PDB file of all heavy atoms in Angstrom:
ATOM      1  N   ASP A  43      36.988   1.407  46.024  1.00 98.00           N
ATOM      2  CA  ASP A  43      37.556   2.755  46.130  1.00 98.00           C
ATOM      3  C   ASP A  43      36.758   3.591  47.128  1.00 98.00           C
ATOM      4  O   ASP A  43      35.978   4.459  46.740  1.00 98.00           O
ATOM      5  CB  ASP A  43      37.542   3.419  44.745  1.00 98.00           C
ATOM      6  CG  ASP A  43      38.254   4.769  44.764  1.00 98.00           C
ATOM      7  OD1 ASP A  43      39.070   4.990  45.689  1.00 98.00           O
ATOM      8  OD2 ASP A  43      37.960   5.598  43.883  1.00 98.00           O
ATOM      9  N   TYR A  68      34.048  27.362  35.217  1.00 98.00           N
ATOM     10  CA  TYR A  68      32.665  26.983  34.922  1.00 98.00           C
ATOM     11  C   TYR A  68      32.468  27.099  33.419  1.00 98.00           C
ATOM     12  O   TYR A  68      32.654  28.192  32.869  1.00 98.00           O
ATOM     13  CB  TYR A  68      31.679  27.933  35.593  1.00 98.00           C
ATOM     14  CG  TYR A  68      31.673  28.000  37.102  1.00 98.00           C
ATOM     15  CD1 TYR A  68      31.133  29.113  37.739  1.00 98.00           C
ATOM     16  CD2 TYR A  68      32.167  26.980  37.901  1.00 98.00           C
ATOM     17  CE1 TYR A  68      31.089  29.205  39.132  1.00 98.00           C
ATOM     18  CE2 TYR A  68      32.133  27.056  39.290  1.00 98.00           C
ATOM     19  CZ  TYR A  68      31.588  28.180  39.898  1.00 98.00           C
ATOM     20  OH  TYR A  68      31.552  28.271  41.276  1.00 98.00           O
ATOM     21  N   LYS A 118       3.490  27.407  54.692  1.00 96.00           N
ATOM     22  CA  LYS A 118       3.713  28.017  56.012  1.00 96.00           C
ATOM     23  C   LYS A 118       3.261  27.067  57.127  1.00 96.00           C
ATOM     24  O   LYS A 118       3.821  27.073  58.221  1.00 96.00           O
ATOM     25  CB  LYS A 118       2.973  29.358  56.113  1.00 96.00           C
ATOM     26  CG  LYS A 118       3.542  30.413  55.166  1.00 96.00           C
ATOM     27  CD  LYS A 118       2.811  31.748  55.286  1.00 96.00           C
ATOM     28  CE  LYS A 118       3.433  32.792  54.351  1.00 96.00           C
ATOM     29  NZ  LYS A 118       2.734  34.087  54.427  1.00 96.00           N
ATOM     30  N   SER A 136      13.654  19.801  54.359  1.00 98.00           N
ATOM     31  CA  SER A 136      12.240  19.378  54.437  1.00 98.00           C
ATOM     32  C   SER A 136      11.355  20.243  53.540  1.00 98.00           C
ATOM     33  O   SER A 136      10.532  19.742  52.781  1.00 98.00           O
ATOM     34  CB  SER A 136      11.745  19.478  55.885  1.00 98.00           C
ATOM     35  OG  SER A 136      12.593  18.771  56.734  1.00 98.00           O
ATOM     36  N   ILE A 278      38.635  29.274  69.889  1.00 95.00           N
ATOM     37  CA  ILE A 278      40.044  29.686  70.059  1.00 95.00           C
ATOM     38  C   ILE A 278      40.101  31.065  70.715  1.00 95.00           C
ATOM     39  O   ILE A 278      40.864  31.306  71.643  1.00 95.00           O
ATOM     40  CB  ILE A 278      40.780  29.701  68.704  1.00 95.00           C
ATOM     41  CG1 ILE A 278      40.839  28.281  68.111  1.00 95.00           C
ATOM     42  CG2 ILE A 278      42.190  30.281  68.838  1.00 95.00           C
ATOM     43  CD1 ILE A 278      41.384  28.211  66.689  1.00 95.00           C
ATOM     44  N   LEU A 301      41.349  21.084  61.919  1.00 94.00           N
ATOM     45  CA  LEU A 301      41.346  22.500  61.582  1.00 94.00           C
ATOM     46  C   LEU A 301      40.271  22.707  60.516  1.00 94.00           C
ATOM     47  O   LEU A 301      40.507  22.468  59.323  1.00 94.00           O
ATOM     48  CB  LEU A 301      42.726  22.904  61.055  1.00 94.00           C
ATOM     49  CG  LEU A 301      43.026  24.393  61.037  1.00 94.00           C
ATOM     50  CD1 LEU A 301      42.854  24.999  62.421  1.00 94.00           C
ATOM     51  CD2 LEU A 301      44.442  24.639  60.541  1.00 94.00           C
TER      52      LEU A 301
END
Side-chain angles (χ1 to χ4, degrees):
D43 186 21
Y68 297 159
K118 294 181 178 179
S136 306
I278 296 172
L301 197 56

